[in-house]
Amino acid sequence: MGQLEPDDSVLTNAPGGDRDKRGPGSRGATSAVLALACAAQFMVVLDVSVVNVALPSIQRALGFDPAGLQWVVNAYALVFAGFLLLGGRLADLYGRRRVFVLGLFLFTASSLVGGLANSPALLVAARAVQGLGAAVLAPATLTILTTTFAEGAARTRAVATWTAVSSAGGAAGNLIGGVLTESLSWRWILLINVPIGALALAAALPLLPGDRERGRGQRLDVPGAALATVGVGALTYGISQIESRGWSSPVTGAALAAGVLALTAFVVVEARFAPAPLIPPRLFRARAISVGNTVMLLAGACFIPMWYFLSLYMQNVLHYGALKTGLGFLPHTLVGIVGARSAPRVMEYVGARKVIVISAALSAAGFLWQSQATPDSGYLVGLLGPAVVMSAGMGLLITPITTTVTSGIGDADAGAASGLMNATRQIGGSVGLAVLVAVAAGGGQTAAALSDDYGRAFLAMAGMLVAVVAGALALPGPREERPR
């Protein structure tokens, strides 16, 4: 199948560009590595949303006040977003197995502490450490795949599986949270990570190859790491406050300004002063990476907020309960998985760029359809029909973007590229949600008025996906692909 080439040789000539695959040799061993990486990624993505349905139970059990309750969600999201770039680079410098095990241990241990927490402060602190573990773990899962599977059909299939699992984790969070909270206790939304994490830790050491000392002689870019963490964290926090405080709030304005200033300083430091940059500037000289991450930013601005507005539509317009809302997401989950698993075959016939164009256009049509839903549309027309179209496009879209932005990269920069892609998607989701909440803020009280408000948000998502189509046309084309 065709794979996108970088625009120049700067990536393949980078340190580690020999693509030395030190992964396990047998098909069974590589399948086990894939399963391990996917299990870790599933936990990371699941815990972004799994607490949402359980928030009322958590509030009653631990005595949270309304203002403090949001930090059960925000503590994870802010730390996760803030440390993604750093987490990606750690794997390059200190070894993928070492960093994977560290992230998995932090995530599992903090899940145990959070599940047993007896005070609001302890739960919020545990969620913050969970976010740190996730920021270290998420880039490592993708880096392990891109350094275990050589570029070509095998890697594309592995990335498609990773994408399908990520989609399933994001969509299943509300359902799993509802089932565990109603059948057992809210504590199990965190405690369930403990046996899974323990099994993954036990499997990681024999399965993952030993680490080379790639970081020897190189120091972590501490100024860059600090600026990136502060910048992304402050920007994400400021965006999260727009809905509750408004754009004119001093808190919102200060956080957004601090985020922009820190990220601007980060770009300057990385380009001019850092001897071993957190994000090597040479990565952006490849059009597949610079344009591909822009496309991922726009896609994240649609697909992450999608769950938020669909949940509101089901609960506030159709008056579904928490468990029924979770079940209502099943079509999105199943179709998204089928789309992700189908992506490698479609890419084999038409190439990555055309798949991005086709799938973005398909998702745009689905969002346009969803924007027309009313309280009287019914399940088939108001939810199931749009779900099939938008989720098929979403499932097809992420795999070729991920393959594009990780192609042609030397092993020494694989973690940085993975961290950049994860951070781009997360920032896109945060910015997109803030913008779309403002677009949907019509002050509606009735089901019909709320449906109109949410419809504007879905219409805006369709417009952003049209921009994804335009961005995809700027990616390297068929002449720059090489046959496999």
Side-chain angles (χ1 to χ4, degrees), residues 71-72 75-76 79-80 110 122-134:
W71 286 102
V72 178
Y76 183 92
V79 177
F80 180 40
S110 57
L122 183 57
L123 178 58
V124 170
R127 287 285 287 169
V129 178
Q130 256 195 319
L132 178 61

Side-chain angles (χ1 to χ4, degrees), residues 127-325:
R127 287 285 287 169
V129 178
Q130 256 195 319
L132 178 61
V136 174
L137 189 57
T141 63
L142 182 57
T143 304
I144 285 169
L145 295 187
T146 59
T147 55
T148 298
F149 297 87
E151 285 189 46
R155 181 190 290 184
T156 302
R157 288 193 297 269
V159 170
T161 302
W162 181 86
T163 300
V165 168
S166 297
S167 298
N174 289 322
L175 176 59
I176 292 174
V179 170
L180 291 176
T181 301
E182 290 193 11
S183 60
L184 295 172
S185 161
W186 68 265
R187 296 183 181 278
W188 280 97
I189 63 175
L190 299 175
L191 292 176
I192 195 172
N193 293 325
V194 177
I196 299 173
L199 289 173
L201 280 169
L205 293 177
L207 277 177
L208 300 180
D211 295 316
R212 290 182 177 179
E213 295 296 330
R214 290 189 182 274
R216 183 173 294 172
Q218 297 185 53
R219 292 185 178 181
L220 181 65
D221 177 18
V222 175
L227 288 169
T229 301
V230 170
V232 175
L235 190 64
T236 306
Y237 174 73
I239 290 166
S240 72
Q241 298 303 298
I242 292 172
E243 182 178 7
S244 58
R245 297 177 183 267
W247 288 94
S248 60
S249 166
V251 173
T252 302
L256 292 174
V260 171
L261 287 173
L263 290 176
T264 302
F266 169 74
V267 172
V268 174
V269 167
E270 297 299 281
R272 298 191 177 184
F273 302 109
L278 199 64
I279 301 297
R282 63 176 173 269
L283 292 181
F284 294 102
R285 293 202 291 270
R287 188 153 43 101
I289 294 177
S290 56
V291 177
N293 274 284
T294 302
V295 168
M296 181 64 86
L297 183 80
L298 291 169
C302 299
F303 294 146
I304 293 177
M306 176 186 81
W307 307 113
Y308 174 85
F309 286 102
L310 283 173
S311 179
L312 292 179
Y313 174 76
M314 283 189 264
Q315 295 186 66
N316 295 340
V317 176
L318 301 181
H319 305 295
Y320 288 0
L323 186 56
K324 192 174 181 180
T325 298

Side-chain angles (χ1 to χ4, degrees), residues 414-434:
S418 299
L420 176 63
M421 190 209 72
N422 278 280
T424 298
R425 188 177 182 185
Q426 189 72 19
I427 293 169
S430 298
V431 174
L433 181 58

Side-chain angles (χ1 to χ4, degrees), residues 314-402:
M314 283 189 264
Q315 295 186 66
N316 295 340
V317 176
L318 301 181
H319 305 295
Y320 288 0
L323 186 56
K324 192 174 181 180
T325 298
L327 292 171
F329 283 122
L330 277 178
H332 303 80
T333 305
L334 296 176
V335 174
I337 291 172
V338 171
R341 295 293 294 159
S342 303
R345 178 145 317 190
V346 180
M347 290 169 63
E348 185 176 354
Y349 287 106
V350 302
R353 186 175 76 162
K354 287 183 180 178
V355 176
I356 296 172
V357 171
I358 293 168
S359 56
L362 187 62
S363 289
F367 281 118
L368 181 62
W369 187 353
Q370 186 68 63
S371 73
Q372 305 304 306
T374 69
D376 300 321
S377 296
Y379 179 76
L380 290 178
V381 176
L383 275 177
L384 183 59
V388 170
V389 178
M390 71 172 71
S391 298
M394 178 179 69
L396 285 169
L397 180 61
I398 300 303
T399 296
I401 298 178
T402 302

Side-chain angles (χ1 to χ4, degrees), residues 51-84:
V51 301
N52 290 337
V53 175
L55 288 175
S57 298
I58 293 172
Q59 184 175 23
R60 289 191 298 268
L62 298 184
F64 273 94
D65 59 56
L69 188 63
Q70 66 175 318
W71 286 102
V72 178
V73 177
N74 287 345
Y76 183 92
L78 291 175
V79 177
F80 180 40
F83 282 89
L84 271 170

Side-chain angles (χ1 to χ4, degrees), residues 291 295 298 466-475:
V291 177
V295 168
L298 291 169
V466 172
V468 169
V469 172
L473 295 175
L475 287 167

